Amino acid sequence: MSLDVIPQTATFTPEFETEAQILARVRTQARKEKIRTWGLRVLLIALWLGSWELTASLWIDPFFYSKPSLIWDRLYEWFTDGTQFGSIWLQLYTTVQEAVLGFVIGTVAGVVLGVLLGRSRYWADVLAPFIKALNAVPRIVLASLFIIWFGLGLSSKVATVVVLVFFAVFFNAFTGAREVDGNVINNARILGASKRQVLTSIVLPSATTWILSSLHTAFGFALIGAVVGEYAGASKGLGLLISNAQGTFDAAGIYAGMIIITVVALVAEWLIGLAENRLLKWRPSQASSGHGV
């Protein structure tokens, strides 16, 4: 009899777990899963860098393809001894300043014009061919034109960033404004809401998800615009470092500049994600919406 009782007791033990024990078990499983995921990521990076280092040491010419050890040496040199054009922090600050200023200006302009045209079908139809024509222009090429207009300083780089960011945000804001439920707007007007109140209280909040989703791509364009502008002509910046590395056949310098720009983009992506989560706290989560089905 006693032998039959033991397995039954062991079988029913999990049913008597407290809520705190269940939460602790779930957290432990989530932590293990996160560690496993990051471990696999690190392993993949290590395999990639190791194979690159080995291949460049034994088979391919590192003068053309470089290798991780040379790239690390170039990064260490830049952050300890500086670059040919001054401190690496000055170059980094210059590029980030250009990208952020152009990003803010382009985002504000894109949101304002996108929402206004999204709510005005008449003006949207009037301006549609002009907007399509401007969007078809290879905007990267405009960097050279902006240098002629504004010189090698900050203004030409910011202008390049603005034209890249504007359209990425504009079309999302335009679509978001068009997607607002017409019944909600009609009900608000029946209750006496003015055009301004409809725009600020209904249209903008409804288009927020569209606008914020475009910012992730838009800041990537902002960095591209800043670097391309510096590449075309500048006295400082990460684009200038990459251009100089190309002119001196310094493959490690090109990779080093790319790595710094990538880190900046990842940090910006993280910050935009934090802002998006804070601004969209009102939005129901996928889990909560799934329970109602």
Side-chain angles (χ1 to χ4, degrees):
M1 291 294 294
S2 59
L3 294 177
D4 295 333
V5 173
I6 294 175
Q8 292 178 0
T9 304
T11 302
F12 287 102
T13 298
E15 298 183 5
F16 297 99
E17 280 186 323
T18 64
E19 183 178 353
Q21 290 174 327
I22 294 174
L23 290 174
R25 179 161 50 83
V26 171
R27 290 195 187 100
T28 302
Q29 291 175 350
R31 192 181 304 113
K32 289 181 179 179
E33 184 66 25
K34 189 174 183 180
I35 292 173
R36 190 180 303 115
T37 300
W38 276 101
L40 182 58
R41 290 171 178 171
V42 172
L43 178 61
L44 290 174
I45 293 174
L47 289 174
W48 170 49
L49 294 178
S51 60
W52 184 4
E53 182 77 22
L54 181 63
T55 303
S57 299
L58 298 179
W59 294 292
I60 63 176
D61 190 348
F63 177 81
F64 296 104
Y65 299 97
S66 191
K67 55 183 179 179
S69 59
L70 295 177
I71 299 170
W72 172 258
D73 291 341
R74 181 67 70 248
L75 285 170
Y76 181 80
E77 175 188 348
W78 283 355
F79 281 95
T80 54
D81 301 331
T83 70
Q84 293 180 331
F85 307 99
S87 169
I88 184 62
W89 297 108
L90 175 62
Q91 318 306 320
L92 180 59
Y93 171 77
T94 300
T95 301
V96 171
Q97 181 188 30
E98 295 162 353
V100 170
L101 285 175
F103 175 76
V104 172
I105 297 172
T107 298
V108 172
V111 169
V112 171
L113 292 178
V115 170
L116 290 178
L117 291 181
R119 299 313 306 165
S120 176
R121 291 189 177 274
Y122 175 75
W123 283 108
D125 290 338
V126 170
L127 298 177
F130 302 103
I131 294 173
K132 292 178 181 179
L134 289 173
N135 187 44
V137 173
R139 293 182 289 279
I140 294 296
V141 180
L142 292 176
S144 302
L145 189 60
F146 290 146
I147 289 176
I148 297 175
W149 290 355
F150 305 118
L152 297 176
L154 180 69
S155 300
S156 60
K157 314 305 181 298
V158 172
T160 305
V161 173
V162 168
V163 296
L164 285 173
V165 170
F166 171 79
F167 287 99
V169 177
F170 170 81
F171 287 113
N172 272 43
F174 180 84
T175 304
R178 281 284 178 90
E179 292 294 325
V180 179
D181 190 349
N183 293 326
V184 176
I185 295 177
N186 292 333
N187 291 336
R189 287 173 177 168
I190 291 172
L191 294 173
S194 63
K195 289 186 177 180
R196 180 181 177 185
Q197 289 174 325
V198 169
L199 188 65
T200 57
S201 301
I202 298 176
V203 176
L204 274 177
S206 299
T208 299
T209 303
W210 287 84
I211 295 169
L212 290 177
S213 66
S214 70
L215 298 185
H216 297 277
T217 304
F219 194 83
F221 285 150
L223 280 175
I224 292 173
V227 171
V228 168
E230 293 168 351
Y231 198 91
S235 58
K236 52 189 173 182
L238 295 175
L240 177 62
L241 291 182
I242 295 175
S243 176
N244 180 72
Q246 178 194 8
T248 57
F249 295 94
D250 180 14
I254 296 175
Y255 282 116
M258 291 168 55
I259 290 173
I260 296 174
I261 294 170
T262 301
V263 171
V264 172
L266 290 176
V267 172
E269 174 77 13
W270 175 69
L271 293 175
I272 292 173
L274 288 180
E276 183 177 8
N277 292 333
R278 290 180 65 88
L279 292 173
L280 296 181
K281 281 185 176 180
W282 55 269
R283 183 177 58 182
S285 63
Q286 294 295 331
S288 61
S289 62
H291 291 306
V293 174

